C-alpha cells in the first residue's frame, strides 16, 4: 500500500490548534487539495483499464481528507461493484492476472509519491511558518 507517514503529526496538530484554532482546518484543506490533484489521474487509469466500468464507477473516485489523512477512494453504496473493477474478483474470475495493488487508486498514489512528498514538505513548511513565526 502506498502511504506517507508524518512523524510527530499529533504534536503538530496540537501546536497548530494552540497557535490558532483555525489552523487544524487548514491542515485538513491541505490534505484534501493533495488528494484532489490525484483524482483525475486515477479516473483516467480506471477508464483505460476497464471501459466497461462506465461513468458510474469512474464517477465514484473521489478525494477524502481529515486532519490526519488524505486519500482517494472509489465506490459507493450505490456502486458497490467498483472494487471488482479495481482489484478483480476471485468468485467470478474477473480480470485474470490482476494486479495485487489494483489498477487505479494505489498505482496513482505510488506514481505520484515524489510529487506528494514535495508538496507536503512545501505546504507544511508554509503552514508551520504561519503558525509559529520567527
Amino acid at each position: 500500500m502506498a502511504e506517507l507517514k508524518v512523524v510527530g503529526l499529533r504534536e503538530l496538530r496540537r501546536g497548530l490548534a494552540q497557535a490558532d484554532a483555525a489552523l487544524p482546518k487548514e491542515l485538513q484543506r491541505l490534505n484534501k487539495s493533495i488528494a484532489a490533484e490525484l483524482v483525475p489521474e486515477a479516473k483516467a487509469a480506471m477508464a483505460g483499464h476497464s471501459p466497461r466500468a462506465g461513468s458510474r464507477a469512474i464517477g465514484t473516485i473521489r478525494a477524502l481528507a481529515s486532519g490526519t489523512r488524505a486519500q482517494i477512494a472509489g465506490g459507493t453504496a450505490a456502486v458497490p461493484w467498483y472494487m471488482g473493477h479495481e482489484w478483480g474478483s476471485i468468485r467470478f474470475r474477473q480480470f485474470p492476472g490482476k494486479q495485487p495493488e489494483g489498477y487505479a487508486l494505489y498505482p496513482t498514489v505510488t506514481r505520484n509519491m515524489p510529487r506528494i512528498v514535495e508538496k507536503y514538505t512545501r505546504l507544511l513548511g508554509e503552514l508551520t511558518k504561519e503558525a509559529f513565526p520567527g
Side-chain angles (χ1 to χ4, degrees):
M1 177 179 352
E3 74 179 39
L4 172 67
K5 291 187 180 187
V6 177
V7 176
L9 181 60
R10 179 179 298 138
E11 295 81 4
L12 173 62
R13 292 182 69 227
R14 189 177 313 121
L16 291 173
Q18 289 172 351
D20 184 338
L23 289 177
K25 198 68 169 169
E26 285 300 315
L27 182 57
Q28 181 179 358
R29 278 193 271 280
L30 180 151
N31 285 338
K32 183 87 174 232
S33 73
I34 290 173
E37 285 184 16
L38 302 176
V39 169
E41 186 176 333
K43 286 182 175 187
M46 179 54 72
H49 156 66
S50 183
R52 293 186 62 205
S55 61
R56 286 191 65 208
I58 294 166
T60 67
I61 298 174
R62 64 207 178 278
L64 302 173
S66 72
T68 59
R69 67 174 173 78
Q71 74 181 61
I72 53 175
T76 62
V79 186
W81 39 265
Y82 171 85
M83 296 305 171
H85 286 280
E86 178 70 33
W87 285 286
S89 168
I90 294 171
R91 179 176 174 203
F92 298 109
R93 315 277 293 149
Q94 189 179 26
F95 309 126
K98 65 182 172 52
Q99 300 290 330
E101 67 276 359
Y103 289 100
L105 302 181
Y106 290 123
T108 297
V109 172
T110 301
R111 274 191 306 277
N112 287 283
M113 192 58 79
R115 186 170 60 101
I116 293 168
V117 170
E118 183 276 325
K119 187 164 186 175
Y120 263 116
T121 301
R122 183 172 45 81
L123 293 176
L124 284 174
E126 291 171 10
L127 187 60
T128 55
K129 280 182 188 175
E130 179 183 336
F132 314 109

